[in-house]
Amino acid sequence: MSLTDLTDLTAAEASERLASGDLSSRDLTQAHLDAIAAHDETIHAFLHVDPEGALAAADEVDRRRSAGDALGPLAGVPIAVKDLLCTVGQPTTCGSRILEGWVPPYDATVVTRLREAGLPILGKTNLDEFAMGSSTEHSAYGPTRNPWDTERTPGGSGGGSAAAVAARLAPLAVGTDTGGSIRQPGALTGTVGVKPTYGGVSRYGIVAMASSLDQAGPVTRTVLDAALLHEVIGGHDPMDSTSIDAPVPGVVEAARRGHADGVAGLRIGVVRELGGEGFQTGVQQRFDEAVELLTKAGAEVVEVSCPSFTQALATYYLVMPSEVSSNLARFDAMRYGLRVSPDGVADPSAEQVMAATRDAGFGDEVKRRIILGTYALSSGYYDAYYGSAQKVRALVARDFDNAFAQADVLVSPTSPTTAFKMGEKLDDPLAMYLQDVATIPANLAGVPGISLPAGLAEDGLPVGVQFLAPLQADDRLYHAAAALERMLLEQWGAPLTPGGVA
């Protein structure tokens, strides 16, 4: 097998070959670095690549394997990390000029666990600035392009991670999902994206956008790969006060069981409010076909209603900007990154430097959300906006409870459309926000979700289907998704592969 062919291996396949001694981590890592060098000028999935660090980590894994050390299942498999996670020795910009050149003095817990498990880190992936966006066009360092059609976006905010995996520049990636930023780009690039239960993966060292919504998770090409990565990065972290002090559900075993045993007897709820009008014809068709497959395979499919989901998008766009307004106050030109002095002011005050720095360092979308959040939290409006949004959030959680009383997992399309053209929605923020209409309810309630490819729409672009499960029942996601993935692959005969990268 040539070095080029190595980039077609899934993480599970690569892991088996590494363990058998048939493949070295250096060769596998070098193959992906070569792919990045050849194709990332077009895709722009990476903001920073670390060949020396990745190869050094690969060599260390090869040395330990030769010495007979016990290694984890993903040891030696390279990975990309969203540039929202702090990394020692590599810049962390969050896609923003205000953090340009900043190198953190510590690793995020997720990064620490990747290093301890022996995964060479290829580099940091592009994102909408501070994870605010649904297209990865709001990065201060230029947009990422979709490997399926480079004139289209890969979704966002984790478009860099999703595009890297889809384009075979990395077999695995880590993303973060605040309103769908792992699952929506997963749907638009034909990859698998998982938002674990809130608190299931540590947020320590992840630059916060909206602390009650942010959640790191896997980006991969198969459900089993996602499960393998989930078990590496998941688990309790005393450095994160919101971390769940409980074992990670057996997601790898669940994925293997779902692949082998199917979905017979599983109760699957189709959410009435997440489909139909407003969803692209081809998206709805692939979703309906997926439900039909599940039904034929023996699942008990029922329709469930979650009426508060119709208010979820508006609720999210009050809760999230409010937390943005608070979290981004720390970027004040005094402690991090960029510092700009106002023009024509000989002896500027701290407030004047702060204002000039924020004006120069933050992009338009970040400024828009800070203004929205500050207004929602302001005296006289707090109860009317933020307080009301929190009440609706409680109703969304109650709708989930009622739905899970009728079904083991819920299912819906992941995104209402396939990948849209670059610039198409930049002048219409509301149209951009609607991209996350099906993913946001999970973040408001903290429940886990997974998106996997469901086929191609009438425009030849990938469609995603999402499963949702109760809190801390992430294993149910992997069971159902692995079963559907196997049935779809049997139909297709081979995995979906983008044609945008030669």
Side-chain angles (χ1 to χ4, degrees), residues 146-149 152 187-190 280 282-283 285-286 418-419 455-463 496-500:
N146 194 319
W148 287 83
D149 179 348
R152 296 176 184 266
L188 269 53
T189 60
Q280 185 179 324
V283 170
Q285 287 175 342
R286 297 296 86 75
T418 57
L456 304 180
E458 68 276 20
D459 51 14
L461 294 169
V463 171
L496 302 178
T497 304

Side-chain angles (χ1 to χ4, degrees), residues 6-11 13 32 164-172 190-192 219-226 453 485 495-496 498:
L6 295 180
T7 60
D8 281 331
L9 295 174
T10 67
E13 291 168 343
H32 286 91
V165 172
R168 276 48 174 173
L169 309 184
L172 302 167
T191 55
V192 174
V219 181
T220 65
R221 294 206 303 271
T222 71
V223 174
L224 177 59
D225 284 0
E485 179 183 59
L496 302 178

